[in-house]
């Protein structure tokens, strides 16, 4: 665990997350969470994710060690939730990756990291981040979080704001692709059969993110890559280790239905939105066809 991020967790109020989850954002505890989140620069968050991802790959007992050091699950969930709510899309995306990597680490389940309300905050962050990246204000960047200073780009840094809706650059595109990869890894490595509420939030997040990515427009190439990553993760939700297919398949289909049917909830009535809704519908149909083909018995089998 990155030392700076660990120290931030040690100062976070344990009860802050429960207040955050119930919407009491004006409480002193939630204000403290926001202050802690705003004090953490993006490089620290990137380092925290890298450390947790490495620990997850090595099956290191991260949560046992953090618990022994005094870090509580409430502190971790509170700080990551506050970060995921940031108006800075890079911060929100990296925080989502931190939460997902933490959920993959050994001991995460008994420690309580797979919390339905935390998954709900993740779901909001993933959907908002995807929507902001593809359809965010092109005329102006989003408001900066108070107290957070963004580093100036290096001379050779790709900062094509038009290509990324105000957040441009290949490095930032990579940060956001990281979230899709972390979702895939979580669903490959952590059985969610006993965590149906968490799975439901992940399905909602993945459908929302995949559909937003499918809208494409001038960003079609990058959007297609992100869309594929989200649909790949969505297909993993249908694995038996996450629940009986009779329960998980309807869950996925209900989330896709508004986009398959082009219902009013799937888009607005403008001509541009209509074209985007059709593009999203085509992506969803492709996913359903692929999922059905994968579930079908092989030719010649009983």
């Amino acid at each position: 665990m990155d030392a700076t991020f660990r120290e931030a967790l040690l100062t976070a109020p344990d009860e802050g997350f429960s207040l955050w989850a119930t919407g009491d954002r004006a409480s002193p505890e939630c204000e403290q969470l926001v202050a802690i989140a705003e004090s953490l620069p993006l490089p620290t968050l990137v380092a925290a994710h890298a450390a947790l991802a490495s620990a997850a790959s090595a099956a290191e007992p991260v949560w046992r060690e953090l618990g022994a050091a005094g870090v509580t699950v409430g502190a971790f969930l509170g700080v990551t939730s506050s970060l995921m709510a940031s108006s800075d899309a890079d911060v929100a995306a990296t925080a989502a990756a931190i939460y997902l990597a933490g959920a993959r680490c050994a001991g995460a389940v008994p420690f309580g990291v797979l919390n339905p309300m935390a998954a709900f905050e993740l779901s909001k962050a993933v959907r908002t981040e995807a929507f902001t990246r593809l359809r965010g204000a092109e005329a102006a960047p989003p408001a900066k979080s108070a107290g957070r200073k963004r580093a100036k780009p290096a001379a050779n840094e790709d900062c094509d704001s038009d290509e990324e809706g105000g957040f441009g650059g290949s490095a930032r595109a990579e940060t956001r692709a990281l979230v899709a990869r972390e979702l895939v890894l979580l669903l490959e490595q952590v059985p969610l059969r006993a965590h149906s509420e968490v799975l439901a939030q992940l399905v909602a997040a993945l459908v929302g993110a995949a559909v937003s990515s499918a809208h494409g427009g001038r960003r079609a190439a990058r959007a297609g890559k992100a869309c594929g990553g989200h649909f790949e993760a969505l297909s993993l939700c249908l694995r038996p280790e996450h629940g009986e297919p009779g329960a998980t398949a309807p869950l996925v289909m209900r989330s896709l239905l508004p986009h398959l049917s082009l219902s009013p909830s799937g888009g607005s009535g403008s001509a541009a939105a209509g074209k985007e809704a059709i593009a999203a519908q085509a992506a969803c149909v492709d996913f359903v066809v692929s999922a059905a083909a994968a579930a079908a018995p092989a030719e010649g089998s009983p």
Side-chain angles (χ1 to χ4, degrees):
M1 169 67 73
D2 175 78
T4 302
F5 193 74
R6 180 199 294 258
E7 288 302 312
L9 295 181
L10 288 171
T11 63
D14 181 47
E15 65 276 16
F17 174 69
S18 60
L19 294 169
W20 184 278
T22 57
D24 188 9
R25 306 294 169 83
S27 66
E29 292 84 358
C30 287
E31 290 179 350
Q32 186 179 352
L33 288 177
V34 172
I36 291 171
E38 291 180 341
S39 73
L40 295 170
L42 186 59
T44 293
L45 303 182
V46 172
H49 168 261
L52 285 172
S54 176
S57 298
E60 297 174 5
V62 170
W63 293 113
R64 185 178 66 194
E65 294 172 358
L66 288 175
V71 173
T72 66
V73 67
F76 176 74
L77 298 180
V79 170
T80 52
S81 293
S82 180
L83 287 164
M84 286 190 285
S86 173
S87 60
D88 185 320
D90 292 315
V91 170
T94 307
I98 288 172
Y99 173 77
L100 291 165
R104 293 193 292 115
C105 288
V109 172
F111 198 70
V113 177
L114 288 178
N115 181 293
M117 292 307 299
F120 177 63
E121 296 297 327
L122 171 73
S123 176
K124 289 192 296 182
V126 170
R127 286 180 288 180
T128 301
E129 188 278 323
F131 184 82
T132 300
R133 171 168 52 85
L134 293 171
R135 309 193 37 77
E138 295 184 347
K144 296 178 182 178
S145 299
R148 183 183 298 281
K149 295 182 179 179
R150 293 181 61 88
K152 292 183 179 180
N156 61 348
E157 182 180 353
D158 177 3
C159 290
D160 184 355
S161 61
D162 179 68
E163 285 300 314
E164 285 292 317
F167 300 111
S170 58
R172 291 172 186 170
E174 178 66 18
T175 297
R176 290 164 189 131
L178 185 65
V179 179
R181 290 200 298 273
E182 279 291 351
L183 283 162
V184 168
L185 290 170
L186 177 71
L187 290 163
E188 286 179 338
Q189 298 172 8
V190 182
L192 297 177
R193 179 180 286 267
H195 304 277
S196 58
E197 293 180 346
V198 172
L199 181 66
Q201 293 297 340
L202 293 181
V203 168
L206 289 165
V207 170
V211 168
S212 290
S213 297
H215 285 164
R218 285 178 299 172
R219 309 167 187 88
R222 292 179 184 175
K225 182 179 179 181
C227 178
H230 291 124
F231 275 128
E232 178 188 359
L234 188 62
S235 69
L236 296 174
C237 294
L238 300 172
R239 284 186 171 185
E241 59 262 39
H242 301 313
E244 294 297 328
T248 55
L251 173 66
V252 172
M253 289 301 298
R254 281 194 297 270
S255 295
L256 289 169
L257 188 58
H259 310 288
L260 289 168
S261 63
L262 295 181
S263 69
S265 61
S268 65
S270 69
K275 291 180 180 179
E276 291 169 348
I278 291 172
Q281 182 195 50
C284 292
V285 168
D286 287 345
F287 168 78
V288 171
V289 170
S290 297
E299 184 177 350
S301 63

